[in-house]
Amino acid sequence: MKFKDAAQAALDNIVSFGDTDIFPFSIERRVFSESKRPCLDLLERMHKSLDDHLAQHPPSTINALTPVGYTGFRWATQIEPFWNAYYLALCIALASKIEETRIPEAKKQVFSYRFCYDGSDSKLFAETAWKDYRARALQLARKHKHVITTDIADFYPRIYHHRLENALKRLPSPGDVPARLMKLVGEFSGTYVSYGLPIGGPASRILSELCLADVDLRLSRQKIEFCRYADDFTIFCNDHSEAYRILVLLSEALIDEGLVLQKRKTRIMSSSEFLDSSSFLDPDDQTPDDDESKLLRIAVRFDPYSESAAEDYERLRASLQEIDIVGILAREVAKTTIDTTITKQAINAIRALDSNYKSGAIRTLLDPSNLAVLSPVFATVVRCVRGVYDELDDDTKELVDRQLVDMFQNENRALSLPIHQSYYVQALSRRRSAEKEEILIDLFDSVPNPLVRREVMLAMAEWDCHYWLSQIKRRFGELSLWEKRVFIYASYRLGDEGKHWRQHTKHTWSPMDNIIAQWARPQN
């Protein structure tokens, strides 16, 4: 695909789906939507003079811990949005060629991130998903005596750049895109680190699938029955010794790529044991006997940008009418540890419920006695609160405001992570109060992470807190790139004071900052 077309596809995809599934969507997403032409022009200029742009305006990244379960964590990387769009455009330019190196989708072996962009919508990948992978696993388990389940340890952080570069260069007629990609990947990882891809966006997913294409082929050519979704493998055989042999073969194939299996997640089990543990995902079971099974079969996410968005939403609402979402949540929070898959699905379904059910569900989520058990899905909780806040009745809004304030004052442990703090600020800012302003100012002064401070600045700008913005203006030189960009947007809330400040500072702005300023300027 030509770069210009790939850049258009990248911006369209980010506008529709965001640039990450881990971090809050950035304000630049709105800029990409409402000022697409200037953004496309900038991406093309970056492409024509990449080295100059890297030298003058290098990509800034934010690293933050994200929770895995109750006590585990992993690093995730947020890339400066314009550079992230450029990164995605480069990957899209090669994505069709990468897809051709993979085992064909029709073989039902590899289900993750099958590239199928055709320009009719903003989607990059086929509709195949985790549940299709699991359904295929159930189907194959019935035909074999043993099942191996395993996944790759620290997959994205361990991807070796040299192996990735070689795989990119082997693509048919890749041009100079591999060299450009490796320059970017090196910038994201750090000058002295030769491994790792940023986690959370579609660009890295495209590249990660290329990294595993040879591993898939080695398994397939040796007639091993398997299916894979991203870093998860499920493998099928008929005796225990064969299972051990396959694990050795898979481990050797991964070691060649600089990767290893997770020991604690690698299991050899009987097919009956596997089927019993996975029965709730069985598509052949037409008589699910509980709400959880019904819920897991529903695709809760719908595309608000599709031509049939209204009809899709009504179908989703109809599907959920027969399911007691509040009951599911109540049963989960009553456990010592929640099932994160079911809980996330139930929380995401709240947005499609009738108003009275929404209020009940939100009250369940924010009950202080439930927050500890919900800590692994805290980001999902506050995203939901933020999304449905305006649809809640006044009493529930008052309760939400009180609970959010209490979280901060009681030093809720979930708020120890900057990524949680950033989502928390978004939920807190749905309605202004003096008490909330004090919390936002406290967070800005006490948390060094730009991800959080940026959200605070956006909230204070939306609330027209001139007294605070005027103070921050004097500290502009101390701010990070991320914060400076948001302040340029916020400066338009300062009237003539902001206009005077922009006239004296715009010579220091980057091309990305100039686009933000043009977009933020009030239209008369």
Side-chain angles (χ1 to χ4, degrees):
M1 186 185 294
K2 293 181 179 179
F3 178 79
K4 184 175 183 179
D5 296 330
Q8 176 76 59
L11 291 181
D12 288 345
N13 180 261
I14 292 169
V15 168
S16 295
F17 304 105
D19 57 358
T20 172
D21 61 2
I22 295 175
F23 295 91
F25 293 159
S26 66
I27 192 174
E28 287 85 350
R29 181 189 180 208
R30 290 171 55 193
V31 180
F32 294 165
S33 174
E34 298 166 19
S35 298
K36 189 170 292 184
R37 184 70 261 168
C39 294
L40 280 171
D41 290 343
L42 175 57
L43 292 182
E44 291 188 60
R45 293 200 302 274
M46 292 165 68
H47 193 61
K48 288 177 182 177
S49 54
L50 177 59
D51 289 339
D52 289 343
H53 277 82
L54 283 173
Q56 296 171 22
H57 311 288
S60 176
T61 58
I62 297 175
N63 295 310
L65 285 175
T66 61
V68 180
Y70 285 94
T71 56
F73 303 93
R74 67 175 180 178
W75 279 108
T77 302
Q78 172 83 314
I79 305 167
E80 189 280 323
F82 283 90
W83 279 110
N84 183 69
Y86 182 68
Y87 174 44
L88 179 56
L90 290 178
C91 290
I92 291 173
L94 291 182
S96 293
K97 295 178 180 181
I98 291 174
E99 184 63 30
E100 290 172 4
T101 70
R102 304 174 66 190
I103 293 175
E105 186 178 0
K107 288 187 173 292
K108 297 183 179 180
Q109 290 178 312
V110 180
F111 289 82
S112 45
Y113 311 120
R114 306 304 310 222
F115 185 78
C116 67
Y117 182 79
D118 64 7
S120 62
D121 57 30
S122 303
K123 295 177 182 176
L124 299 180
F125 305 119
E127 291 295 337
T128 51
W130 173 262
K131 67 177 183 179
D132 301 299
Y133 157 67
R134 295 295 289 168
R136 177 61 173 166
L138 289 167
Q139 186 182 57
L140 291 173
R142 296 189 187 94
K143 300 177 181 179
H144 297 81
K145 295 180 180 178
H146 293 277
V147 179
I148 306 166
T149 58
T150 188
D151 68 14
I152 301 170
D154 298 324
F155 177 38
Y156 282 83
R158 288 176 178 264
I159 289 176
Y160 185 31
H161 291 176
H162 184 63
R163 299 288 295 187
L164 172 60
E165 183 177 16
N166 288 341
L168 287 167
K169 288 179 177 178
R170 285 195 295 268
L171 296 173
S173 304
D176 65 352
V177 176
R180 291 170 177 272
L181 274 170
M182 297 317 299
K183 283 182 181 179
L184 277 188
V185 168
E187 289 278 350
F188 300 153
S189 299
T191 308
Y192 303 107
V193 179
S194 59
Y195 50 85
L197 291 178
I199 298 172
S204 292
R205 290 172 183 146
I206 292 169
L207 296 182
S208 70
E209 291 298 326
L210 176 63
C211 293
L212 291 180
D214 283 353
V215 175
D216 295 333
L217 284 173
R218 285 176 70 167
L219 294 178
S220 183
R221 294 294 185 265
Q222 296 203 31
K223 301 187 183 305
I224 293 170
E225 289 275 26
F226 79 100
C227 49
R228 178 178 69 79
Y229 189 95
D231 56 353
D232 288 287
F233 287 84
T234 308
I235 305 170
F236 312 88
C237 57
N238 285 315
D239 65 63
H240 206 275
S241 60
E242 183 187 4
Y244 187 80
R245 179 186 67 81
I246 292 171
L247 275 176
V248 171
L249 186 149
L250 176 58
S251 297
E252 289 175 345
L254 289 171
I255 286 171
D256 289 343
E257 302 295 333
L259 303 168
V260 296
L261 294 175
Q262 282 215 56
K263 295 178 183 178
R264 65 184 181 85
K265 288 191 176 181
T266 300
R267 294 185 61 197
I268 301 174
M269 64 185 86
S270 68
S271 59
S272 59
E273 182 182 0
F274 176 80
L275 290 167
D276 287 345
S277 65
S278 307
S279 59
F280 63 88
L281 284 169
D282 188 351
D284 294 333
D285 182 1
Q286 300 299 319
T287 57
D289 57 1
D290 56 47
D291 284 337
E292 285 80 358
S293 298
K294 295 176 185 176
L295 178 63
L296 288 171
R297 290 186 175 89
I298 296 174
V300 168
R301 190 193 187 285
F302 79 101
D303 180 5
Y305 295 90
S306 74
E307 294 181 0
S308 59
E311 294 87 346
D312 292 345
Y313 182 75
E314 289 305 318
R315 277 195 293 270
L316 174 59
R317 289 190 63 188
S319 299
L320 293 171
Q321 292 302 313
E322 300 178 0
I323 301 174
D324 181 7
I325 299 297
V326 178
I328 290 174
L329 291 172
R331 288 191 289 276
E332 287 299 318
V333 298
K335 299 177 181 178
T336 305
T337 58
I338 59 170
D339 182 313
T340 56
T341 301
I342 291 172
T343 306
K344 283 183 178 181
Q345 186 85 332
I347 293 171
N348 290 330
I350 290 172
R351 300 185 189 188
L353 298 180
D354 290 337
S355 297
N356 55 326
Y357 292 114
K358 274 192 179 81
S359 295
I362 293 298
R363 288 171 180 270
T364 298
L365 292 180
L366 293 183
D367 188 312
S369 63
N370 295 336
L371 287 173
V373 75
L374 288 170
S375 60
V377 295
F378 182 82
T380 308
V381 169
V382 287
R383 280 201 303 265
C384 177
V385 170
R386 176 198 64 193
V388 305
Y389 185 91
D390 291 340
E391 303 167 39
L392 301 174
D393 58 71
D394 289 342
D395 286 345
T396 305
K397 285 180 181 178
E398 290 291 340
L399 179 141
V400 168
D401 290 342
R402 185 69 260 155
Q403 297 289 31
L404 290 174
V405 168
D406 286 348
M407 275 186 214
F408 182 82
Q409 293 178 343
N410 295 331
E411 298 182 349
N412 186 285
R413 68 181 187 184
L415 293 181
S416 59
L417 292 177
I419 197 164
H420 283 174
Q421 293 167 348
S422 62
Y423 281 116
Y424 169 79
V425 169
Q426 289 187 344
L428 192 73
S429 65
R430 297 305 296 162
R431 186 162 62 172
R432 183 179 182 179
S433 74
E435 195 171 25
K436 289 181 179 180
E437 285 181 35
E438 292 172 4
I439 290 175
L440 293 184
I441 293 170
D442 192 338
L443 279 170
F444 189 89
D445 291 339
S446 62
V447 177
N449 193 295
L451 185 69
V452 182
R453 289 160 63 96
R454 179 177 164 100
E455 293 297 335
V456 170
M457 292 173 70
L458 281 170
M460 297 295 268
E462 292 301 315
W463 288 350
D464 287 324
C465 293
H466 303 88
Y467 71 93
W468 186 81
L469 294 173
S470 184
Q471 172 193 356
I472 296 302
K473 173 176 63 67
R474 294 194 293 271
R475 299 164 54 185
F476 184 77
E478 306 168 12
L479 303 179
S480 69
L481 174 152
W482 297 80
E483 297 160 73
K484 286 180 177 179
R485 183 164 306 162
V486 170
F487 188 80
I488 291 171
Y489 161 76
S491 71
Y492 285 93
R493 303 303 179 102
L494 291 173
D496 287 342
E497 181 185 356
K499 181 180 179 180
H500 180 75
W501 172 83
R502 289 191 298 275
Q503 289 173 341
H504 284 78
T505 58
K506 62 183 179 182
H507 67 280
T508 67
W509 297 354
S510 70
M512 296 81 163
D513 297 335
N514 283 317
I515 289 178
I516 295 290
Q518 284 287 111
W519 166 77
R521 181 180 300 160
Q523 302 298 315
N524 296 325

